[in-house]
Amino acid sequence: MFSLLPNAIVDGLLIGLTYGLVAAGLALIWGVMDIVNFAHGEHMLIAMYITLLTTAEFNVDPLLLLPVNIVVMFVIGYATYALIIKRVMDGPILGQVLCTFGLLLVIRYGIMYVAGPTTRTIDSFVFAGSTTIAGVSVSFPRVLTALVSIVTVAALYYILEETKVGKGIRATAQDKQAAQVLGIETDRIYAIAWGIGLAAAGVAGTMVATFFPVQPEATPVVWTISSFAAVALGGLGGILGPVAGGIVIGLVENVGSTLIDSSYRQLYVYVVLIGALLYRRETILNGVSG
Amino acid sequence: MSDENVDRRLSRRKYLQASAAVTAVGAAGCLGSGSEDTGSGGSTASGDETLTIGALHPLSGDAAEMGARFQDVVDAGVQAINQGASDLAPLAGADGEGLPGQDGAIVEVLWADHQGSSDVARSEAESMVLDDGVDILTGCYYSGATEVVSQVAQREGVPHVCGTAIGEGLTERDLEWFWQVPPHTGVKGESMFSFAADMNDQYDAGLETAAIIHQDGTFGTEVANSMERVIEESDFELALDRISYSAQSVNSLSTEIRNMEEADTDIVVHAANVRDALIMLNDMQTEEYYPEMMLTPGSAYLDPSVLSEDVSEHVFSGSDFSNDMYEVHPPMGAYNEYSESATGTAFDGNSIYAWGEFFTAVAAAENAESLSSDDLKDSLDTMSLDEYEAGLPYPVEFDDDGYNQEAFSFVVQADSGQLETVWPFEQAQDDAMTYPVPSWDER
């Protein structure tokens, strides 16, 4: 059993970084605006279907669609805030919840209407395949997804820490009224935060589609369940916390499955999550920082 | 009556109207040059009575695409009955317009989407029985949904003909209004491991150990229960305790695969949905592992969206269908051609169940004294159909528990997106089987 531990650790790191990327986008919106985007998985789905349909139709490599999806998802995020979310920002929490849940349904079933309910996979990918290094099997698409996750998280960190927009986002997250007094256009900051959050979802969706079967109803759930747990574990205090949470969840899932019993994969995650929350209850709902 | 009920009924009515229109257009468009019985296209039988069948299936979710194919083949069946399709003899009810045994009564099918939810299935079944007055319930593919619908049928005294769920325990609940047509998971398991034993006897395959891995839903758990029993009663041994995983949240099966590899498993039995079947095969490829034999109870592994993937090549499955079965069972080929010409949908490993389910219900009505519930029940209790009459390659005759004791599963192997019969060996075409299965590198 212990001989399989290196494989489990590698698998856990790879999948954990992917959870972390999804969680980073989720946490950004959640942390800045105190709105939970229940449609985050469905926003990933948009990028997945852009990737799947474009590669099938035009025989384009999925990797070339990464910048396209980043731009498209940023625009969708910006527009979603400006046209929809802004109108419920000052309303009751229930209205905000219903709003993002409504988005979930519209996107999910809109995609199903357009693309059908078929489970799809990428036909060709330049980095398809796998190899074995020191007895550990690794899938190239999963490794590449993990690397892209690291680069994306680093970019998000840089944006939040070093750019004027990032400082505006952090200032708005800490105190909206104070930010307004200082001349920050908080509505624009919110829209940009949505844009960046969904662009991160776009990166995740594009990369996950390279190795994971995609179906409109089932696929988003797989990635958002663990990512919500990653946010809860890592806290809303910034980008790095949720990413760390994602890595911990990936490791717990895989190491627990290898050493104990793979049938209880979810149990290990939630035991750790509940334990961590009991130990550090204040981690959730802190302000955004790097 | 609540607004919700009104909406639901309206929805079904609309669907029925649309189905009727599609059927009429299909008849006019596809069968204009067909048999003489349907040459007039669009005409319907003149009987006053209508056999109304309530079909409860997953039409959304993971199984939505399969549900759509169910609808297509059943639409073809409705057309064959109402327009007549005497070329399809001995198919029940196809000789002449409407049901000959019921003075030309036409057949209508009301569809409901249970979304894979037992609660939704229950409420839809109740609505179908109490509001729409269906004569027979059919469905429901998922064993969990089938269980609750059969309870509604039992309570309301309406026959429930199940041709699409294969749970072994479904007919072991002392229900008087439930009949199961296809081979259940136990019979499938017996066929699968008889095949494995025959491979040892005739090909020195050296198969000794097996592992069971399954999704944690009702279907996966029932398959695992049956397979475990079959393996324990056979000469094979379980290489390790059975492995389950969450069907909802699984995104990798690498750990499970490595555990099976380390246990030196010869045969891997996997009960899966489409998504996790693809994850399993892709992860096996990543791990550069393939057992001596990948042997599945069918379901997802018979689905065209799995078969279209290269990784599904050479998987063995228990099945009621194969693409080369028409060589051995010519009437099945005729039925398939009819379905394809009527709706554009050919049979596959799952939709053939819906076809058999529909025609078992039709045969019950055709042979009943009347369309009353009691007469339909008597007809099902005493049913004795030869092979092909219910649209299936085996006879239909129910035992006292309502299980079709004639149901039989053969074993198929995936080959270039097609399913080829490999067992019973005498039904297999020459060179149909690829064994030993080549490693990933050799493919």
Side-chain angles (χ1 to χ4, degrees):
Chain A
M1 207 63 80
F2 283 97
S3 63
L4 299 177
L5 202 53
N7 301 66
I9 291 170
V10 170
D11 279 353
L13 284 172
L14 295 181
I15 206 76
L17 281 163
T18 313
Y19 290 155
L21 177 58
V22 181
L26 188 65
L28 182 63
I29 295 170
W30 193 350
V32 173
M33 265 170 273
D34 203 15
I35 282 186
V36 181
N37 179 19
F38 287 106
H40 199 69
E42 277 63 25
H43 284 117
M44 273 180 73
L45 202 61
I46 294 175
M48 288 176 171
Y49 271 89
I50 290 173
T51 308
L52 286 163
L53 298 178
T54 308
T55 52
E57 189 69 24
F58 301 107
N59 203 22
V60 180
D61 194 79
L63 216 51
L64 296 176
L65 292 166
L66 201 51
V68 175
N69 281 335
I70 290 172
V71 173
V72 168
M73 295 310 298
F74 181 88
V75 171
I76 289 175
Y78 196 103
T80 300
Y81 175 79
L83 299 175
I84 300 170
I85 304 299
K86 185 179 173 182
R87 299 168 197 278
V88 297
M89 276 294 288
D90 296 325
I93 290 175
L94 181 62
Q96 297 169 0
V97 169
L98 290 176
C99 185
T100 59
F101 191 71
L103 273 175
L104 174 155
L105 295 175
V106 168
I107 295 169
R108 179 184 292 182
Y109 292 104
I111 288 174
M112 191 183 284
Y113 180 78
V114 172
T118 315
T119 301
R120 295 171 185 261
T121 54
I122 290 283
D123 289 334
S124 63
F125 181 39
V126 68
F127 290 103
S130 60
T131 190
T132 302
I133 303 167
V136 177
S137 304
V138 286
S139 140
F140 291 140
R142 286 182 189 256
V143 171
L144 190 64
T145 301
L147 292 175
V148 169
S149 298
I150 292 170
V151 171
T152 307
V153 169
L156 289 174
Y157 184 82
Y158 176 80
I159 290 170
L160 281 177
E161 288 295 313
E162 302 297 334
T163 67
K164 193 175 171 184
V165 167
K167 288 171 182 168
I169 289 174
R170 286 192 289 136
T172 306
Q174 283 171 13
D175 192 327
K176 181 183 175 186
Q177 287 180 331
Q180 284 172 332
V181 169
L182 292 171
I184 295 173
E185 294 177 59
T186 52
D187 265 346
R188 184 169 153 272
I189 289 294
Y190 282 157
I192 290 172
W194 264 81
I196 294 173
L198 263 56
V203 173
T206 309
M207 296 311 301
V208 166
T210 63
F211 65 85
F212 192 77
V214 180
Q215 201 274 341
E217 287 183 296
T219 301
V221 179
V222 174
W223 296 95
T224 46
I225 284 179
S226 297
S227 300
F228 272 104
V231 174
L233 194 59
L236 293 172
I239 296 299
L240 300 184
V243 175
I247 292 170
V248 169
I249 285 173
L251 286 170
V252 168
E253 269 183 4
N254 283 277
V255 172
S257 298
T258 298
L259 296 184
I260 309 172
D261 185 337
S262 60
S263 301
Y264 304 106
R265 181 181 287 259
Q266 291 294 307
L267 180 65
Y268 311 138
V269 171
Y270 284 94
V271 166
V272 169
L273 178 65
I274 291 167
L277 290 179
L278 288 174
Y279 182 66
R280 280 190 57 198
R281 277 177 291 184
E282 75 278 10
T283 49
I284 292 191
L285 302 178
N286 292 338
V288 162
S289 69
Chain B
M1 184 183 301
S2 70
D3 290 345
E4 187 184 342
N5 282 341
V6 172
D7 288 343
R8 195 180 294 136
R9 288 184 61 193
L10 283 174
S11 168
R12 279 209 206 92
R13 297 276 179 234
K14 281 179 187 167
Y15 181 77
L16 183 59
Q17 288 163 5
S19 295
V22 167
T23 302
V25 169
C30 300
L31 300 176
S33 59
S35 69
E36 58 186 18
D37 296 310
T38 55
S40 57
S43 64
T44 57
S46 56
D48 293 332
E49 275 209 280
T50 299
L51 170 68
T52 307
I53 297 173
L56 295 116
H57 284 292
L59 304 177
S60 59
D62 256 352
E65 192 188 7
M66 186 198 61
R69 292 198 301 274
F70 281 10
Q71 287 182 300
D72 283 348
V73 299
V74 170
D75 279 350
V78 171
Q79 180 175 294
I81 301 297
N82 291 346
Q83 308 298 327
S86 55
D87 289 354
L88 299 185
L91 189 62
D95 189 15
E97 296 177 1
L99 293 174
Q102 296 295 336
D103 298 327
I106 63 167
V107 177
E108 292 177 339
V109 178
L110 293 181
W111 288 89
D113 175 15
H114 61 57
Q115 304 163 24
S117 157
S118 299
D119 288 339
V120 175
R122 179 188 291 109
S123 65
E124 290 289 354
E126 287 170 347
S127 181
M128 279 183 160
V129 172
L130 300 174
D131 300 337
D132 300 313
V134 298
D135 299 303
I136 300 178
L137 289 167
T138 60
C140 307
Y141 184 65
Y142 291 125
S143 294
T146 304
E147 278 181 8
V148 298
V149 168
S150 63
Q151 286 160 359
V152 172
Q154 176 76 14
R155 191 178 68 227
E156 301 299 334
V158 173
H160 177 190
V161 174
C162 166
T164 49
I166 60 172
E168 184 171 5
L170 287 171
T171 53
E172 295 169 0
R173 295 170 299 146
D174 294 327
L175 298 179
E176 296 173 352
W177 292 84
F178 179 74
W179 294 266
Q180 186 182 28
V181 185
H184 59 51
T185 48
V187 169
K188 275 198 176 232
E190 285 160 14
S191 291
M192 289 158 58
F193 281 91
S194 294
F195 161 65
D198 286 354
M199 287 295 289
N200 283 342
D201 290 344
Q202 297 200 21
Y203 292 90
D204 290 328
L207 304 169
E208 294 176 355
T209 59
I212 300 168
I213 177 167
H214 65 97
Q215 51 101 322
D216 61 1
T218 308
F219 163 70
T221 306
E222 284 191 350
V223 168
N225 291 341
S226 298
M227 296 298 158
E228 205 166 63
R229 176 182 61 74
V230 169
I231 291 169
E232 284 169 357
E233 291 171 358
S234 73
D235 293 333
F236 296 95
E237 287 181 10
L238 280 169
L240 70 172
D241 289 342
R242 68 194 205 187
I243 303 166
S244 71
Y245 58 85
S246 163
Q248 267 206 323
S249 63
V250 64
N251 56 34
S252 169
L253 289 167
S254 291
T255 306
E256 290 79 355
I257 289 166
R258 285 192 289 264
N259 287 339
M260 291 188 290
E261 182 178 14
E262 193 174 70
D264 202 16
T265 304
D266 295 326
I267 301 172
V268 170
V269 178
H270 187 202
N273 297 329
V274 167
R275 190 163 37 92
D276 27 312
L278 291 172
I279 291 170
M280 169 67 103
L281 293 170
N282 283 319
D283 285 353
M284 275 187 173
Q285 190 177 33
T286 297
E287 298 296 328
E288 296 173 0
Y289 166 73
Y290 202 84
E292 296 297 314
M293 181 179 284
M294 185 76 184
L295 184 58
T296 83
S299 189
Y301 283 93
L302 306 178
D303 194 281
S305 54
V306 172
L307 291 171
S308 65
E309 299 289 331
D310 291 343
V311 286
S312 71
E313 193 79 346
H314 309 312
V315 170
F316 293 95
S317 297
S319 174
D320 300 15
F321 169 84
S322 70
N323 294 94
D324 60 4
M325 73 188 294
Y326 310 133
E327 303 289 334
V328 181
H329 302 282
M332 297 305 298
Y335 303 162
N336 177 57
E337 280 180 26
Y338 185 87
S339 174
E340 198 164 6
S341 68
T343 64
T345 298
F347 289 165
D348 59 58
N350 289 318
S351 64
I352 197 169
Y353 284 135
W355 177 264
E357 179 178 87
F358 172 75
F359 277 102
T360 303
V362 165
E366 173 70 6
N367 297 325
E369 290 285 323
S370 74
L371 296 183
S372 72
S373 294
D374 287 337
D375 285 341
L376 288 169
K377 180 180 185 302
D378 287 344
S379 177
L380 283 158
D381 282 338
T382 57
M383 180 171 274
S384 178
L385 301 177
D386 291 335
E387 55 185 2
Y388 313 127
E389 282 190 78
L392 295 165
Y394 44 74
V396 177
E397 189 169 336
F398 297 107
D399 63 18
D400 291 343
D401 292 327
Y403 176 66
N404 177 20
Q405 54 200 341
E406 301 292 335
F408 176 74
S409 174
F410 39 90
V411 176
V412 299
Q413 187 178 29
D415 181 7
S416 303
Q418 303 281 297
L419 295 169
E420 295 185 339
T421 306
V422 296
W423 186 88
F425 294 136
E426 61 272 19
Q427 290 196 22
Q429 302 299 300
D430 290 343
D431 301 324
M433 184 164 65
T434 301
Y435 195 87
V437 173
S439 67
W440 292 108
D441 290 343
E442 294 166 340
R443 298 189 186 189

